[in-house]
Amino acid sequence: MNHAMPRFLNTLIVEDSDDDTQLLVRELREGGYEPVFTRVETGAAMRAKLKQQDWDIIFADFTMPQFNAFEALQALHEAGLDLPFIVVSGTIGEDRAVLAMKAGAHDYILKGNMKRLLPAVERELREARNRRERKQAEQTIRRMAFYDLLTDLPNRSHFRNQTQQAVQAGIQEGRPVALLMMDLRRFKDVNDTLGHRCGDQLLQQVGARLRAAMFQNDMVARLGGDEFGVLLPGMAAISDIEIVARKILSTLEAPFVIEDVPIVVETSLGAVVAPEHGTDADILLQHADVAMYHARETGANYSLYDPTHDPHNPRRLALMAELRQAIENDQLQLHYQPKIALATGGMIGAEALLRWQHPKTGMIPPDQFIRSAENTGLIKPLTDWVLGTGLRQCSEALASGALRHLAINISARSLHDLRFPNLVGKFLKASGIAPEKLMLEVTESAFMVDLQRTVETLAVLSHMGILISIDDFGTGFSSLNYIKKLPVNEIKIDKSFVSDMTSNENDLSIVRSIIELGHNLGLKVVAEGVENKATLDSLAALGCDYCQGYYISRPLPHERFKDWPGHASGKT
């Protein structure tokens, strides 16, 4: 007799014999369960019960006068439920048992030999729980691909795709489409003064007000940080933009009350019109950003894009000319950020991060020149320099095993070049480093332009033995759909989810889901942006494999990186 606390089990029994039902219930009770059961013996009764309440498990006799196990399985499938289904019968033979399993039954038990009942119940309840958890993780990832989980608004990727579709439809129908971009002035002051929790609440309230102010066909999205976008696909005339802009400004005039503190929000709003200001979503977003920046600089609340206000073209050309000289004149540097194994605290790899030491303006971060380098074709010599320098500087550590692998970020432009694998092979051969010592990090945005070519290039690289990592996982486009098609070794959780996971339940849930999903797909999972011990401990408890961040070490110049202790000391 099992004297442990009984485990309640909502049990649906498809059976025409009350005696056999009681035998089954007694066996379950002997095993420590307390079945809360209902017996049915017709298809109509079973379908009604499936609709009325939730069930943990279903037991079914194989053959009854008015019903059988195959019909019961069909009723279960029609209800769209994934429940453990065990056939318990005294008449089933091996052939029919196989047919029942093929039809969807999870196991079968002979009434004359109930010894297998309890192990089968334990196993199938556990498997059902695992299936539920996997499904929840996949649903979370799917939603992350299109929606911002803080505000429940569409994210940047979804907004971009809808903008492109709206513009194409507008061109075909001969009507304008407008896009507005706005940010919150001094939002950083709210975070610094009241804390990130209050900042998150402010973003949620701003998003809710914007959504309530727009028409049904308009799209409001959170583009990132304190930036929001509004898509107006049904404009009658260009003059309507200013009306909408004033409506938005009026909607945000009243103070927001966050934890009894009234907060007045001021905004900078930029607007563009397609096709006048562009027909490509990325160009329109860039021009809207220019207009928003102009509004901020001039103190205006609203600004329509004007090419004369766009400083990008001449500045970009000048900067790219200087970048070409920087590559030739050795003004570039690589810094290395250690990546540790959470289980041991030991260093397993490092990420190479590019820095530009400009002789006049000082250190220029990569986000100020990488995109322009991609657009002008300078990304190829820049990638050559990073690959050659990184493998050369780390060759000794990689060869000795002190460093298991070196991770280098690769742009979409490189992945769309079918000659790129040969280039990588030449650098590996020149440095004498084995392919499995090199990991290439790719952002999900690389898949958006040319998925087929990206997959082909990654397949060749993987076949060479090179490791592949998906960077900023969860912030890109259709993460779950593409990750299954790619020869990937690891995924890196974006730091935007990691930084607040110990204080934000949404972020914690996202991190947990990504770790579970990665492990279900047989991948290693890395957390970026670990800045304190609490985050490190939480990631370890969730079973995350690796991590990197300022708590472990800041990115270090090569000379300092060579002497790094290789453990999570917390020193920077």
Side-chain angles (χ1 to χ4, degrees):
M1 181 74 178
N2 191 331
H3 296 289
M5 182 70 71
R7 291 170 286 178
F8 287 97
L9 196 65
N10 289 328
T11 308
L12 183 61
I13 302 176
V14 185
E15 173 65 73
D16 62 337
S17 166
D18 187 59
D19 289 342
D20 286 345
T21 299
Q22 294 301 325
L23 174 65
L24 174 64
V25 169
R26 186 179 67 191
E27 289 289 333
L28 291 171
R29 284 175 176 157
E30 287 290 328
Y33 292 100
E34 183 52 55
V36 180
F37 70 95
T38 297
R39 181 172 69 85
V40 296
E41 52 185 285
T42 67
M46 179 178 177
R47 288 181 173 88
K49 290 300 178 182
L50 288 175
K51 291 179 181 178
Q52 288 175 7
Q53 70 180 83
D54 295 330
W55 302 96
D56 296 319
I57 195 167
I58 298 175
F59 298 98
D61 193 0
F62 188 77
T63 303
M64 294 167 288
Q66 303 179 62
F67 204 31
N68 63 45
F70 294 112
E71 293 170 327
L73 279 167
Q74 183 178 351
L76 179 62
H77 294 156
E78 288 173 357
L81 300 175
D82 181 10
L83 296 173
F85 188 102
I86 298 177
V87 177
V88 181
S89 180
T91 61
I92 192 169
E94 184 176 340
D95 291 343
R96 288 191 293 177
V98 170
L99 289 175
M101 300 288 279
K102 287 183 176 179
H106 294 98
D107 206 340
Y108 66 92
I109 307 293
L110 295 176
K111 290 181 179 178
N113 181 13
M114 301 288 277
K115 293 180 180 179
R116 290 185 56 250
L117 177 68
L118 293 174
V121 169
E122 286 283 351
R123 183 187 65 249
E124 295 309 327
L125 289 174
R126 182 173 62 252
E127 289 298 317
R129 183 173 63 251
N130 291 339
R131 290 196 299 272
R132 286 195 303 271
E133 290 174 353
R134 283 197 298 270
K135 186 176 180 180
Q136 289 170 357
E138 290 181 358
Q139 288 173 343
T140 299
I141 298 299
R142 285 194 183 99
R143 184 154 187 82
M144 285 164 52
F146 296 103
Y147 287 88
D148 168 56
L149 297 187
L150 176 65
T151 62
D152 205 34
L153 294 173
N155 62 15
R156 190 181 192 93
S157 293
H158 194 21
F159 186 75
R160 175 194 176 279
N161 293 336
Q162 292 300 112
T163 296
Q164 193 65 54
Q165 292 179 27
V167 170
Q168 291 172 353
I171 291 172
Q172 292 176 357
E173 298 168 14
R175 55 175 173 75
V177 172
L179 186 155
L180 298 93
M181 183 183 293
M182 56 169 285
D183 66 3
L184 311 182
R185 295 178 185 171
R186 294 184 291 278
F187 177 71
K188 185 176 183 296
D189 294 344
V190 176
N191 277 338
D192 293 344
T193 305
L194 301 178
H196 287 278
R197 185 177 66 177
C198 290
D200 287 349
Q201 291 179 29
L202 177 59
L203 293 172
Q204 290 170 333
Q205 291 190 26
V206 168
R209 278 200 202 176
L210 289 173
R211 181 61 269 173
M214 296 295 104
F215 290 115
Q216 185 68 33
N217 291 335
D218 302 334
M219 173 181 266
V220 178
R222 183 187 176 204
L223 305 182
D226 62 338
E227 284 188 354
F228 292 84
V230 179
L231 175 65
L232 306 173
M235 276 203 327
I238 294 177
S239 57
D240 290 346
I241 295 182
E242 187 168 353
I243 297 173
V244 174
R246 295 190 183 282
K247 183 180 181 181
I248 290 173
L249 295 170
S250 175
T251 297
L252 301 178
E253 271 183 355
F256 294 82
V257 179
I258 309 293
E259 296 189 359
D260 298 327
V261 177
I263 299 173
V264 176
V265 165
E266 296 181 11
T267 64
S268 302
L269 197 152
V272 293
V273 182
E276 181 179 340
H277 298 143
T279 57
D280 177 79
D282 290 328
I283 294 297
L284 290 169
L285 282 165
Q286 180 183 332
H287 288 172
D289 186 66
V290 170
M292 183 178 70
Y293 181 81
H294 181 260
R296 187 188 310 128
E297 288 295 292
T298 59
N301 289 322
Y302 160 75
S303 177
L304 185 65
Y305 175 73
D306 184 339
T308 62
H309 298 153
D310 191 343
H312 288 189
N313 290 339
R315 185 173 67 186
R316 184 183 70 232
L317 291 174
L319 194 64
M320 289 304 97
E322 293 176 351
L323 179 58
R324 189 180 297 276
Q325 293 178 356
I327 298 171
E328 297 171 355
N329 298 333
D330 204 27
Q331 295 173 5
L332 302 177
Q333 300 176 9
L334 284 182
H335 288 197
Y336 299 91
Q337 186 169 43
K339 179 167 69 175
I340 68 163
L342 278 160
T344 65
M347 180 170 65
I348 56 96
E351 179 180 0
L353 299 166
L354 183 61
R355 300 290 185 264
W356 179 5
Q357 185 63 44
H358 194 282
K360 293 182 179 178
T361 59
M363 190 69 74
I364 301 178
D367 59 2
Q368 293 186 18
F369 62 87
I370 290 294
R371 181 172 293 183
S372 294
E374 289 180 327
N375 293 335
T376 59
L378 267 180
I379 196 66
K380 186 181 184 305
L382 199 59
T383 302
D384 291 356
W385 185 90
V386 172
L387 280 167
T389 303
L391 290 172
R392 185 181 69 255
Q393 289 184 343
C394 295
S395 59
E396 185 177 335
L398 290 167
S400 69
L403 196 62
R404 192 182 302 176
H405 64 253
L406 175 67
I408 293 178
N409 294 280
I410 298 300
S411 74
R413 185 85 171 248
S414 295
L415 289 176
H416 298 156
D417 182 358
L418 294 179
R419 298 167 297 180
F420 179 66
N422 289 332
L423 174 70
V424 177
K426 289 179 181 178
F427 280 112
L428 287 169
K429 186 176 180 180
S431 63
I433 299 302
E436 61 270 18
K437 298 284 188 176
L438 175 63
M439 175 176 283
L440 300 181
E441 294 193 4
V442 187
T443 61
E444 290 176 289
S445 60
F447 315 138
M448 295 172 63
V449 179
D450 192 336
L451 174 63
Q452 183 176 352
R453 182 168 290 187
T454 300
V455 172
E456 289 173 1
T457 304
L458 289 180
V460 174
L461 291 166
S462 179
H463 185 71
M464 292 167 60
I466 294 165
L467 305 176
I468 307 296
S469 174
I470 303 299
D471 199 9
D472 302 337
F473 186 81
T475 64
F477 181 72
S478 297
S479 311
L480 189 62
N481 292 334
Y482 291 161
I483 198 73
K484 294 178 180 178
K485 301 178 182 179
L486 298 168
V488 177
N489 302 97
E490 74 169 30
I491 54 178
K492 299 185 76 173
I493 308 173
D494 186 67
K495 62 184 177 183
S496 63
F497 303 127
V498 175
S499 59
D500 293 329
M501 62 177 287
T502 56
S503 59
N504 186 306
E505 284 296 324
N506 284 335
D507 286 350
L508 179 62
S509 176
I510 291 169
V511 172
R512 181 187 295 111
S513 296
I514 294 176
I515 292 171
E516 290 175 355
L517 178 68
H519 288 167
N520 286 336
L521 293 174
L523 307 176
K524 296 295 185 183
V525 182
V526 186
E528 297 182 287
V530 177
E531 297 188 357
N532 53 63
K533 188 176 187 301
T535 302
L536 187 82
D537 292 342
S538 181
L539 288 165
L542 291 174
C544 189
D545 300 295
Y546 310 134
C547 72
Q548 64 186 82
Y550 281 9
Y551 179 70
I552 312 303
S553 173
R554 291 177 181 271
L556 303 170
H558 181 242
E559 290 304 316
R560 288 181 58 197
F561 173 67
K562 288 193 299 183
D563 299 326
W564 194 77
H567 59 80
S569 63
K571 296 178 181 178
T572 59

